[in-house]
Amino acid sequence: MAHILTAFFFIATFQTLSVLHGVYSHGNAHKCRSYCGNLTVDYPFAIQSGCGHSGYRDLLFCINDVLMLHISSGSYRVLDIDYAYESLTLDDPHMSTCSSIVFGHHGNGFVVERWREPYLNPTADNVFMLLGCTAESPLFQGFPGKHLPCRNVSGMGCEEYYGCPGWDIIGPKKVGVVYGSGPPDCCAVSFEAIKAINLTKLSCQGYSSAYSLAPLRVDGPHKWSYGIRVKYSVEGDGSFCKACEATGGSCGYDVNDFSSLCMCGSWNSTSNCDSVHSASHRRTWSLMDALTGLVGCIAIWKLSATLGL
């Protein structure tokens, strides 16, 4: 008799603990927020599959506590994610700066996949300065009178950039907005003007990129903020994700068809965590079963002690 009661006690206890674990795991929504180094990775981004917005899947990777962004043109280090202004600041280690002018087709440029274009593009106040482009470059084709498409962007352009000490190593520069013997060594454009910074297709040797932190204006290219500032966006008004998070869920997507999902602990919803009535019903009855089982365990224990078994 003692062996039977003891065995029943342990079985009932194990089942009770299992049910309680299931109950509380239901109540804790899957958290997609993560950290990489000193950066917080949150919606619409994620470094876990199925988390975040599907438009940013397979985009960010945490490598040795360094957050990297990967698109078709290459990999970039993420320096900052500004969730308030919906922007990222990227660094291309092969990009020219004021102190170092890099030729030799080493830079990534910036080209995103077609399906990412609605979500991810450099900001309007980001200037790309294309360096060492040939006369055959698409930049200089189709402009009557050989006038170049080069323009200042947010007060930044090649005229100022030529004043950087990095040019002292390069030597004499071809400048101006009209060329005769050949194009200038630097041509500044906005991303919107050419839609892609592909150094190979543009026949350019390198590039630099700087962005303006409006309304702040700095004097001289040595004080410019070098890097690529990218604007991100999400389709719609974000009501789905807001409703999901308001009910304790985390925003994600189906890894098979990329449709939006609200991750509610051990189940997913296509709307929000409160809408899963059947799951909520099962959760309530599981809790009742767990409490009943716990009372039963105590009763068995007391009975065993009373009988001296």
Side-chain angles (χ1 to χ4, degrees):
M1 181 67 176
H3 295 297
I4 296 175
L5 287 174
T6 301
F8 183 75
F9 170 75
F10 281 112
I11 292 172
T13 302
F14 176 78
Q15 290 179 334
T16 301
L17 292 175
S18 298
V19 171
L20 284 172
H21 178 269
V23 169
Y24 287 108
S25 66
H26 277 76
N28 292 328
H30 177 72
K31 300 299 182 183
C32 286
R33 178 181 297 167
S34 54
Y35 302 90
C36 184
N38 63 342
L39 296 178
T40 301
V41 183
D42 208 346
Y43 187 85
F45 306 107
I47 53 179
Q48 307 107 301
S49 178
C51 285
H53 189 278
S54 62
Y56 300 105
R57 66 185 183 274
D58 302 324
L59 180 70
L60 298 182
F61 302 88
C62 188
I63 303 173
N64 296 326
D65 284 335
V66 175
L67 191 62
M68 302 296 295
L69 178 145
H70 184 77
I71 53 177
S72 59
S73 55
S75 295
Y76 309 77
R77 179 171 183 170
V78 181
L79 302 179
D80 180 63
I81 303 178
D82 191 329
Y83 293 100
Y85 289 94
E86 299 184 334
S87 63
L88 302 95
T89 303
L90 310 178
D91 174 61
D92 177 0
H94 303 296
M95 181 186 74
S96 295
T97 61
C98 197
S99 59
S100 176
I101 307 298
V102 181
F103 280 5
H105 306 285
H106 294 304
N108 289 334
F110 195 87
V111 182
V112 298
E113 297 83 351
R114 284 291 181 91
W115 61 271
R116 286 200 205 275
E117 288 179 356
Y119 311 109
L120 201 66
N121 278 296
T123 59
D125 57 4
N126 195 111
V127 60
F128 287 94
M129 290 166 286
L130 301 168
L131 310 177
C133 304
T134 66
E136 291 73 30
S137 170
L139 285 171
F140 311 133
Q141 308 305 312
F143 292 92
K146 295 186 177 181
H147 286 267
L148 304 183
C150 313
R151 298 286 185 273
N152 281 9
V153 178
S154 294
M156 298 175 290
C158 292
E159 290 76 11
E160 296 84 1
Y161 190 58
Y162 282 136
C164 286
W167 286 103
D168 296 339
I169 303 173
I170 303 299
K173 302 172 288 294
K174 292 175 288 185
V175 302
V177 295
V178 179
Y179 69 92
S181 59
D185 285 330
C186 175
C187 180
V189 296
S190 66
F191 186 82
E192 182 64 25
I194 57 177
K195 303 298 184 183
I197 307 298
N198 186 319
L199 299 182
T200 301
K201 289 185 177 181
L202 292 173
S203 300
C204 299
Q205 288 285 319
Y207 83 106
S208 182
S209 175
Y211 56 91
S212 172
L213 295 175
L216 180 65
R217 290 289 183 269
V218 296
D219 295 326
H222 61 288
K223 293 185 178 180
W224 290 351
S225 298
Y226 289 91
I228 305 174
R229 194 156 175 87
V230 178
K231 181 74 173 176
Y232 69 84
S233 62
V234 177
E235 288 181 322
D237 58 0
S239 58
F240 176 88
C241 189
K242 291 176 183 177
C244 173
E245 292 180 342
T247 55
S250 291
C251 304
Y253 61 90
D254 189 307
V255 295
N256 296 313
D257 61 12
F258 309 123
S259 60
S260 297
L261 287 178
C262 183
M263 308 171 98
C264 308
S266 60
W267 71 84
N268 297 329
S269 169
T270 55
S271 54
N272 59 69
C273 296
D274 285 348
S275 67
V276 191
H277 300 295
S278 58
S280 299
H281 180 73
R282 288 195 302 272
R283 177 176 58 189
T284 302
W285 279 105
S286 294
L287 179 58
M288 293 175 64
D289 292 340
L291 292 176
T292 302
L294 184 60
V295 172
C297 289
I298 296 173
I300 294 170
W301 180 263
K302 285 187 175 182
L303 178 61
S304 177
T306 301
L307 297 176
L309 299 175

